Amino acid sequence: MTVKELYNILGKFVDNIGDQDVVIPTDNFSIGPCSYSPVLCVGEGFDWDQGKFFIIAEDKLIKKEK
C-alpha cells in the first residue's frame, strides 16, 4: 500500500470516522475484542529507509514465522 492509497481510503471515511483510535491488530489470542497495539506516531523514513512511510505502534511488534 502506498501513502496515496491510504490517503484516498481515509478521505472516503473521514466524516464518518470521527475521533476513533488508530490501532494495529495483532495475532495474540483474544476472547472478545481483537488484540491490538495503539499507533504511537507516523512518519517518513530517512537515510536507508527513504521512500517508506512508517506507522509506529506503542508496543514492540515482532514478525511471526510463517
Side-chain angles (χ1 to χ4, degrees), residues 1-18:
M1 172 176 274
T2 65
V3 174
K4 189 172 187 174
E5 291 169 331
L6 176 60
Y7 178 83
N8 288 335
I9 290 168
L10 291 175
K12 293 176 187 176
F13 298 104
V14 74
D15 291 332
N16 298 326
I17 291 176

Side-chain angles (χ1 to χ4, degrees), residues 6-38:
L6 176 60
Y7 178 83
N8 288 335
I9 290 168
L10 291 175
K12 293 176 187 176
F13 298 104
V14 74
D15 291 332
N16 298 326
I17 291 176
D19 289 334
Q20 293 181 11
D21 293 332
V22 178
V23 300
I24 300 171
T26 65
D27 202 25
N28 296 71
F29 177 76
S30 175
I31 296 176
C34 293
S35 173
Y36 65 86
S37 177

Side-chain angles (χ1 to χ4, degrees), residues 36-51:
Y36 65 86
S37 177
V39 170
L40 179 64
C41 62
V42 298
E44 289 184 83
F46 61 94
D47 200 14
W48 287 356
D49 291 318
Q50 186 173 359

